[in-house]
Amino acid sequence: MVKFRHIQNFYLHRQQELHSMGKTSRVNHSVASDFLLLGLSEQPGEQPLLFGIFLGMYLVTMVGNLLIILVISSDAHLHTPMYFFLANLSLTDACFTSASVPKMLANIYTQSQTISYSGCLTQLYFLLMFGGLDNCLLAVMAYDRYVAICQPLHYSTALSPQLCALMLCTCWVLTNCPALMHTLLLTRVAFCAHTAIPHFYCDPSALLKLACSDTHINELMIITMGLVFLAVPLMLIVFSYVCISWAVLGIPSPGGRWKAFSTCGSHLTVVLLFYGSLMGVYLLPPSTHSTERESRAAVLYMIVIPMLNPFIYSLRNRDMKEAMGKLFGGGKTVFLL
């Protein structure tokens, strides 16, 4: 009888252990309902200053890029491949910034750091899509400059309206499919109880560090997207500018060389800023990586560069100034942009 009670107590104790382990496992590997975006600073005194700075930058970004779209669409002289892609780049920049900054401003204003699970994945999808589209458009614009300088006689046929529309649709498909696939793969990942993201947006690498399940497929997807969105467009841009430089150096007069290369100045400036900020973080040794450095780089290529693009493409662009003058100044050239 004593032996039977001993065996019974053993099995009851074992069932309680298994129940406890199962409960703990469900807690630790449950689907996260919210994430915490720690933002750029956790100091309460700095929040009003950050709110004012980024609200001003966001408004300038939206007004500047929408103004570029308005000016290009309203002037028939700007209905060329170069300005067609520039208008789409401005739209992409406005959407890219809008995917992260409004949520950051809302969190600062409400003094809340939370973002829902679905909201985080939605933000991630749009950041990946518009970030990749930005890279593809920069590559397409480099090809536009290559055709304009190296094959000027074939410019109208090599970049017909139909071909430009096809290239734009291809860019949308090439960026939308991998971004959607990566987002859907993240829905299969189980996250631990600790869900704090040390950024102002849902960074994919930071999200995977919070995972409690296997993430090898997700990490492979990040590498693949890096090659598709960064390496391939950059190689196309470099190849285009090598050909452009070779053609420009073949022009006999210095004035002709300067005139030809000056048409690439704005695009080249944006490329150097965009890829320079990325390389300044992701090509450095892993020992030098830090959350603060990555956050600064993210602010540069996600907020600062989209804000500067309208000024870069308009400051020394005579056609844009004249078009703005017709739209706002009754035919007078606008010198503010």
Side-chain angles (χ1 to χ4, degrees):
M1 187 71 178
V2 174
K3 184 176 181 181
F4 174 76
R5 288 181 178 177
H6 177 72
I7 295 174
Q8 187 180 27
N9 290 335
F10 171 78
Y11 278 111
L12 288 173
H13 181 68
R14 182 60 179 168
Q15 288 178 354
Q16 290 176 353
E17 286 183 347
L18 291 173
H19 177 72
S20 176
M21 290 175 62
K23 185 177 180 181
T24 303
S25 177
R26 286 193 298 272
V27 171
N28 289 338
H29 296 78
S30 61
V31 176
S33 60
D34 292 301
F35 292 98
L36 294 178
L37 298 177
L38 300 183
L40 296 172
S41 174
E42 296 185 27
Q43 301 297 326
E46 297 179 358
Q47 301 307 311
L49 178 61
L50 290 175
F51 182 83
I53 291 175
F54 285 100
L55 177 60
M57 294 174 69
Y58 179 67
L59 292 177
V60 171
T61 301
M62 297 302 295
V63 171
N65 283 288
L66 294 179
L67 181 60
I68 292 289
I69 298 172
L70 176 62
V71 170
I72 291 175
S73 60
S74 63
D75 195 320
H77 294 91
L78 300 182
H79 293 176
T80 62
M82 182 179 74
Y83 292 108
F84 171 76
F85 292 122
L86 176 57
N88 282 276
L89 180 68
S90 296
L91 177 62
T92 302
D93 284 340
C95 294
F96 187 40
T97 303
S98 297
S100 60
V101 176
K103 179 58 181 175
M104 178 182 67
L105 294 174
N107 283 359
I108 295 176
Y109 184 78
T110 59
Q111 298 181 358
S112 170
Q113 296 179 320
T114 61
I115 183 172
S116 65
Y117 174 80
S118 58
C120 186
L121 293 186
T122 301
Q123 184 189 75
L124 177 65
Y125 164 73
F126 284 113
L127 286 174
L128 292 175
M129 185 183 71
F130 288 117
L133 186 58
D134 216 329
N135 284 274
C136 291
L137 287 174
L138 288 175
V140 170
M141 293 173 74
Y143 174 72
D144 168 80
R145 292 297 84 205
Y146 160 76
V147 175
I149 294 175
C150 300
Q151 300 177 2
L153 298 179
H154 303 283
Y155 184 75
S156 58
T157 55
L159 288 171
S160 63
Q162 295 79 8
L163 181 59
C164 290
L166 179 61
M167 294 171 69
L168 179 63
C169 291
T170 303
C171 290
W172 275 92
V173 172
L174 288 178
T175 54
N176 181 68
C177 292
L180 182 60
M181 186 180 299
H182 182 65
T183 305
L184 293 176
L185 286 174
L186 273 175
T187 61
R188 303 174 63 253
V189 176
F191 294 96
C192 302
H194 180 69
T195 56
I197 301 174
H199 293 286
F200 63 92
Y201 67 100
C202 288
D203 179 66
S205 299
L207 276 174
L208 294 183
K209 291 179 182 178
L210 304 177
C212 295
S213 58
D214 183 70
T215 60
H216 285 91
I217 297 178
N218 303 83
E219 292 170 358
L220 180 61
M221 191 66 189
I222 289 179
I223 296 174
T224 304
M225 292 181 68
L227 292 174
V228 173
F229 289 163
L230 295 176
V232 174
L234 181 59
M235 287 190 294
L236 292 175
I237 292 171
V238 171
F239 177 76
S240 297
Y241 274 104
V242 168
C243 296
I244 289 172
S245 300
W246 186 263
V248 170
L249 292 176
I251 299 176
S253 65
R257 288 197 295 267
W258 171 252
K259 183 179 180 180
F261 200 74
S262 63
T263 61
C264 307
S266 299
H267 177 261
L268 189 58
T269 301
V270 172
V271 169
L272 292 176
L273 287 173
F274 188 80
Y275 284 98
S277 62
L278 291 176
M279 293 179 181
V281 174
Y282 298 110
L283 293 186
L284 291 175
S287 58
T288 63
H289 285 193
S290 66
T291 301
E292 183 179 0
R293 182 189 294 271
E294 292 177 359
S295 296
R296 289 177 180 176
V299 169
L300 182 58
Y301 66 78
M302 293 174 64
I303 303 175
V304 176
I305 294 177
M307 179 187 69
L308 294 178
N309 279 355
F311 297 96
I312 294 173
Y313 281 105
S314 302
L315 275 174
R316 295 187 178 182
N317 191 312
R318 182 179 177 181
D319 295 333
M320 288 294 296
K321 290 180 180 179
E322 291 179 353
M324 289 181 184
K326 294 177 183 178
L327 185 63
F328 299 108
K332 298 179 180 179
T333 304
V334 176
F335 292 99
L336 294 177
L337 287 176

